[in-house]
Amino acid sequence: MFVNFYMPIERKLAAIMFTDIAGYAAQMSKDEAVAISLLNKKESVLKPLIRKHNGTYVKSTGDGSLSYFNSAVDAATCAKRFQESIYDDKDLNVRVGVHLGDTIFEKGDIRGDGVNIASRIEPLASPDGICITDAVYQSVKSKLKLDVNRIDDV
């Protein structure tokens, strides 16, 4: 008997967005209830914005999240609107990373180099900031007003 376990892999160019709450682990050690409240607040603001900007929320990664968009403009706009919406909450300091790259879509999850790069640039953002790769910057620079600090050769 032959069983074919091969599942076709779907590849797409996608704008991948990672988020992470700065200081979450320390807050969890200090006061779990406060940490969980911050996480719930982040998710309640972020998920509707992702949908509003034509994105897909993939999963939670502890205090972080992974989502993707079919457009770098939509991803960058969502990231900017998210940071603006939580700006006045001094306890909720979120870093965001956005990358545009080749992505593998499989079984409701996303993987690949594009996802890896997005996850690695997110910690480069300041708490309450956004870090984008040059691929995203080149896609959005003429479409969005961005106040950016360029970091070359990261």
Side-chain angles (χ1 to χ4, degrees):
M1 179 167 118
F2 175 74
V3 178
N4 184 0
F5 289 103
Y6 174 75
M7 296 291 292
I9 294 174
E10 181 182 6
R11 289 185 176 274
K12 290 183 189 178
L13 185 64
I16 300 101
M17 183 172 76
F18 262 89
T19 68
D20 174 78
I21 300 173
Y24 183 80
Q27 183 61 54
M28 183 61 91
S29 294
K30 183 178 168 186
D31 188 333
E32 284 183 344
V34 170
I36 291 169
S37 173
L38 290 172
L39 179 58
N40 290 336
K41 189 184 303 184
K42 181 193 100 167
E43 297 285 318
S44 72
V45 173
L46 183 61
K47 286 181 178 181
L49 283 171
I50 291 170
R51 284 191 299 275
K52 181 178 180 180
H53 292 90
N54 307 309
T56 301
Y57 183 90
V58 177
K59 63 184 173 183
S60 171
T61 56
D63 63 307
S65 68
L66 169 61
S67 55
Y68 71 89
F69 301 77
N70 294 326
S71 158
V73 171
D74 285 344
T77 302
C78 180
K80 185 176 181 199
R81 296 287 179 258
F82 173 67
Q83 290 295 29
E84 290 170 348
S85 68
I86 64 170
Y87 181 77
D88 291 331
D89 189 336
K90 297 305 176 198
D91 295 322
L92 187 56
N93 299 302
V94 180
R95 290 185 280 251
V96 180
V98 182
H99 175 62
L100 179 65
D102 191 55
T103 309
I104 298 167
F105 288 74
E106 184 179 39
K107 300 177 186 173
D109 202 356
I110 59 176
R111 299 178 173 89
D113 241 8
V115 174
N116 295 340
I117 292 169
S119 72
R120 285 178 175 80
I121 66 160
E122 170 266 312
L124 299 176
S126 63
D128 79 358
I130 304 165
C131 183
I132 62 174
T133 59
D134 192 58
V136 173
Y137 178 74
Q138 294 303 324
S139 295
V140 305
K141 69 181 180 183
S142 65
K143 297 164 188 70
L144 298 176
K145 183 176 180 342
L146 299 172
D147 181 19
V148 297
N149 294 322
R150 302 269 320 247
I151 301 172
D152 295 321
D153 301 323
V154 175

